[in-house]
């Protein structure tokens, strides 16, 4: 999900406000969302339910591995009724397992359940489906479940039979734990599986899902779209979008020129012209991220964008991002949102989080990718402006195992963690870290410790202190007070600086800091020092007496600085 997407609702009722940026001129890149980001930053953990129900994942769910979901979903929009037929193939990992536990909301009525071709008993509770195993166990299983009902509206929306301009629009938002509102599944982000999805609706509707479109068949007034993946995906990334879409597309050619992939867009009829303007930069975005991290990970399938009704934002469902219709206006105001969701195809989709405690590996990465794309388009000034739009001095809780999955600590502080890591290890090593991480964990799941190990392997440096400070333990930012003086030594000036860390969230941060001495008439000196004490004294020489001394002039640190001349 896009963090700015969580803040965009006030756009409907408030005019955009211009700002004079303390830390550099704003750019046209994503300007409207940057402004709103500043105004409504504090609301971003209160706009939706990111809580997974207690005991939603049971111990025995870790003892199976789902290999493939075959889902057939029949939509009856007038009745808000879903008829489902799910075949689930999996492996039993524990020979002593007595039953298969899956997630499935109990308001959905099961009419038939077969285990390995035979009718089987089952039990349910509010969020679970339990299927006893016979005394003769196989190491694999094949479940077929037929069911029907109106999915519950949970979380950000979960599954919606909606309407816009008198026209039906059906969509879902599974993250973090709502896939089971509309199909039975092992709803853990780490249990990835292949997917075959058939969606049947009125023949006027276009139905979209993950992967590649295999066929479209019409039977009277009903039409079925069949989608298939060749890459595994997590249940929270499985999607269904069905409306009277107008489809248009363009192409992306892989970096090795061997694959040509379709980029498919699905717009509401009254927004087609605006969508063609807003979506046109996606090939450039894909090319940029592929060059930075490695080839687009689902090159044999597609990338796409489909409009839906969620007005708070966008969702990175694998190979087909859902974008709220209020993010389509024909002004290219929301390129940061599109870049964020696209970046998730690398970080969040291809590499999934091991647990929801690791959600920053999704959202912090995608948020930093907004800044990287801004840098690509507008240079260092745009990078700086993008990062300062994500700055705040009151982040709550830790980045790992956060208080709120969809709060600013995960998104914005997570992005700052990567920005500071980049400064600490240098550009060459930093981007090598991201490429190595992507290559090592592509189509798998990763934990924060896994990422830390990649960072240390590539940089040949212990980063335990860095990860403790910024991810596992630290809960604030750096606060610095400093004073300086310059002594005339006849042939040069000796500049002395005293720097004090005064923050309470973490006693002593270790970090590199740039110190800029402005010598007047456009001349300056830039020195870099490494700080690892609560109080640090620095000295360096200049040819002229400095007019001012500035710490971290290019904003590489998540820090506040207050300085004065002695």
């Amino acid at each position: 999900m896009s963090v700015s997407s969580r803040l965009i609702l006030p756009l409907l009722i408030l005019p955009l406000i211009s700002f004079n940026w303390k830390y550099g001129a704003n750019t046209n890149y994503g300007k409207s969302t940057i402004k709103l980001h500043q105004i409504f930053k504090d609301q971003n953990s209160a706009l939706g339910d990111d809580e997974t129900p207690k005991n939603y994942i049971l111990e025995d769910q870790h003892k199976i591995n789902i290999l493939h979901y075959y889902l057939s979903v029949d939509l009856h929009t007038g009745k808000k009724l879903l008829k489902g037929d799910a075949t689930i193939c999996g492996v039993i990992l524990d020979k002593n397992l007595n039953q298969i536990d899956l997630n499935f909301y109990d308001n959905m009525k099961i009419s038939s359940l077969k285990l390995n071709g035979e009718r089987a008993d089952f039990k349910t509770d509010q969020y679970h489906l339990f299927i006893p195993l016979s005394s003769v166990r196989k190491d694999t299983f094949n479940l077929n479940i037929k069911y029907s009902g109106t999915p519950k509206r949970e979380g950000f929306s979960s599954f919606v039979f909606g309407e816009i301009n008198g026209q039906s629009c059906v969509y879902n938002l599974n993250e973090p734990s709502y896939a089971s509102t509309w199909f039975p599944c092992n709803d853990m982000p780490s249990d990835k599986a292949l997917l075959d999805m058939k969606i049947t609706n009125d023949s006027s509707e276009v139905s979209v899902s993950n992967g590649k479109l295999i066929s479209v068949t019409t039977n009277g007034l009903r039409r079925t779209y069949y989608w298939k993946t060749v890459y595994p995906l997590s249940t929270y990334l499985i999607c269904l979008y069905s409306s009277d879409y107008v489809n248009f597309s363009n192409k992306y050619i892989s970096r090795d020129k061997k694959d040509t992939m379709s980029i498919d867009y699905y717009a509401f009829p009254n927004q087609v012209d605006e969508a063609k303007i807003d979506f046109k930069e996606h090939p450039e975005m894909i090319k940029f991220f592929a060059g930075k991290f490695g080839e687009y990970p689902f090159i044999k399938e597609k990338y796409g964008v489909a409009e839906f009704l969620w007005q708070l934002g966008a969702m990175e469902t694998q190979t087909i991002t859902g974008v709220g219709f209020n993010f389509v206006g024909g002004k290219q105001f929301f390129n940061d949102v599109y870049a964020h969701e696209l970046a998730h195809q690398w970080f969040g989709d291809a590499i999934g989080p091991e647990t929801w405690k690791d959600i920053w590996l999704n959202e912090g990465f995608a948020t930093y990718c907004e800044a990287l794309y801004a840098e690509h388009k507008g240079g260092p000034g745009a990078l700086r402006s993008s990062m300062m739009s994500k700055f705040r001095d009151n982040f709550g809780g830790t980045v790992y195992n956060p208080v709120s999955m969809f709060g600013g600590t995960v998104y914005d502080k997570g992005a700052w963690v990567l920005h500071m890591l980049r400064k600490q290890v240098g550009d060459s090593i930093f981007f090598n870290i991201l490429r190595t991480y992507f290559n090592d964990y592509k189509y798998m799941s990763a934990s924060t410790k896994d990422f830390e190990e990649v960072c240390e392997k590539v940089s040949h440096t212990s980063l335990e202190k860095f990860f403790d400070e910024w991810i596992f333990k630290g809960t604030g930012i750096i606060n610095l007070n400093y004073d300086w003086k310059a002594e005339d030594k006849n042939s040069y000036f000796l500049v002395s600086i005293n720097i004090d860390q005064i923050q309470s969230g973490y006693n002593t941060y270790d970090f590199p800091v740039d110190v800029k001495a402005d010598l007047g008439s456009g001349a300056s000196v830039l020195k870099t020092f490494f700080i690892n004490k609560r109080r640090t004294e620095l000295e360096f020489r200049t040819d002229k007496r400095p007019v001012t001394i500035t710490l971290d002039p290019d904003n590489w640190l998540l820090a506040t600085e207050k300085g004065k001349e002695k």
Side-chain angles (χ1 to χ4, degrees), residues 3-5 7 31-42 44 336 367 370 389-391 408 411-412:
V3 68
S4 52
S5 71
L7 309 173
K31 58 185 179 182
S32 59
T33 51
I34 287 176
K35 293 169 183 174
L36 286 165
H37 202 114
Q38 292 284 22
I39 304 167
F40 301 108
K41 181 83 74 173
D42 291 337
N44 72 338
D336 52 350
T367 302
E370 297 173 33
S389 77
K390 309 174 198 310
F391 179 91
Y411 285 70
D412 293 344

Side-chain angles (χ1 to χ4, degrees), residues 492-513:
Y492 64 90
F493 286 86
L494 181 64
V495 178
S496 302
I497 308 174
N498 295 318
I499 301 175
D500 292 304
Q501 297 190 44
I502 62 171
Q503 71 279 341
S504 58
Y506 198 90
N507 184 58
T508 305
Y509 288 92
D510 294 1
F511 54 92
V513 63

Side-chain angles (χ1 to χ4, degrees), residues 116-393:
N116 298 327
E118 301 290 336
R119 289 193 175 273
D121 294 332
F122 63 90
K123 295 181 180 179
T124 64
D125 68 14
Q126 187 176 3
Y127 305 119
H128 301 100
L129 171 62
F130 308 101
I131 305 102
L133 293 169
S134 66
S135 57
V136 180
R137 295 181 181 85
K138 299 180 179 180
D139 58 3
T140 61
F141 62 87
N142 185 299
L143 275 170
N144 178 257
I145 304 165
K146 294 179 172 61
Y147 59 96
S148 62
T150 300
K152 285 186 176 180
R153 292 283 295 271
E154 302 280 359
F156 290 114
S157 285
S158 58
F159 195 96
V160 178
F161 285 98
E163 184 178 293
I164 182 170
N165 299 323
Q167 171 61 44
S168 167
C169 179
V170 184
Y171 69 95
N172 71 287
L173 280 164
N174 290 349
E175 191 178 18
S177 54
Y178 304 111
S180 60
T181 62
W182 61 284
F183 68 94
C185 56
N186 198 29
D187 202 13
M188 301 187 297
S190 59
D191 193 358
K192 294 189 173 191
L194 297 174
L195 172 71
D196 281 53
M197 172 76 84
K198 293 183 178 180
I199 307 166
T200 301
N201 201 349
D202 293 342
S203 58
S204 61
E205 309 298 89
V206 175
S207 298
V208 185
S209 189
N210 314 91
K212 197 171 184 67
L213 183 62
I214 302 302
S215 65
V216 181
T217 57
T218 302
N219 184 7
L221 298 178
R222 307 288 287 169
R223 181 168 293 159
T224 300
Y225 286 76
Y226 174 24
W227 296 87
K228 183 180 181 66
T229 73
V230 296
Y231 305 99
L233 75 170
S234 301
T235 48
Y236 83 95
L237 297 170
I238 292 175
C239 70
L240 183 158
Y241 306 117
S242 188
S243 191
D244 64 334
Y245 290 124
V246 175
N247 172 224
F248 59 97
S249 63
N250 53 22
K251 301 292 184 183
Y252 166 71
I253 299 173
S254 65
R255 297 174 69 229
D256 63 8
K257 312 296 184 183
K258 294 181 179 179
D259 290 291
T260 299
M261 180 187 75
S262 180
I263 308 174
D264 293 319
Y265 310 107
Y266 298 88
F268 292 139
N270 66 321
Q271 290 185 298
V272 173
D273 291 341
E274 292 87 349
K276 286 182 177 179
I277 294 170
D278 285 351
F279 296 165
K280 67 181 181 180
E281 206 161 311
H282 277 96
E284 181 182 349
M285 291 179 180
I286 295 174
K287 181 179 180 181
F288 170 72
F289 289 137
K292 283 293 184 185
F293 313 133
E295 187 56 80
Y296 175 73
F298 310 112
I299 193 72
K300 302 295 184 183
E301 295 181 353
K302 69 171 184 306
Y303 184 65
V305 178
E307 288 192 80
F308 64 178
L309 305 185
W310 192 48
Q311 295 184 23
L312 296 180
M315 176 63 200
E316 68 276 9
T317 43
Q318 191 163 304
T319 72
I320 176 73
T321 287
V323 172
F325 68 89
N326 55 317
F327 285 77
V328 179
K331 304 295 185 182
Q332 290 193 303
F333 279 167
F334 303 111
N335 276 350
D336 52 350
V337 175
Y338 304 148
H340 180 110
E341 303 305 335
L342 173 62
H344 272 310
Q345 303 299 313
W346 283 262
F347 304 114
D349 293 11
I351 304 176
E354 183 68 26
T355 72
W356 292 120
K357 294 179 180 181
D358 302 295
I359 185 64
W360 84 279
L361 295 174
N362 290 21
E363 301 300 350
F365 276 59
T367 302
Y368 192 54
C369 286
E370 297 173 33
L372 292 179
Y373 191 69
E375 182 182 27
H376 165 67
K377 297 291 287 186
L383 171 68
R384 182 182 175 195
S385 182
S386 180
M387 289 309 300
M388 292 314 301
S389 77
K390 309 174 198 310
F391 179 91
R392 62 189 288 185
D393 61 6

Side-chain angles (χ1 to χ4, degrees), residues 57-65 93 186 188 190 355:
I57 299 298
L58 304 176
E59 181 181 352
D60 281 352
Q61 290 181 244
H62 295 276
K63 299 176 182 178
I64 61 173
N65 177 29
L93 304 176
N186 198 29
M188 301 187 297
S190 59
T355 72

Side-chain angles (χ1 to χ4, degrees), residues 74 255 305 433 468 475 479 544 564:
D74 196 350
R255 297 174 69 229
V305 178
I433 284 170
D468 279 348
T475 58
N479 300 127
K544 298 179 180 179
K564 63 181 181 180

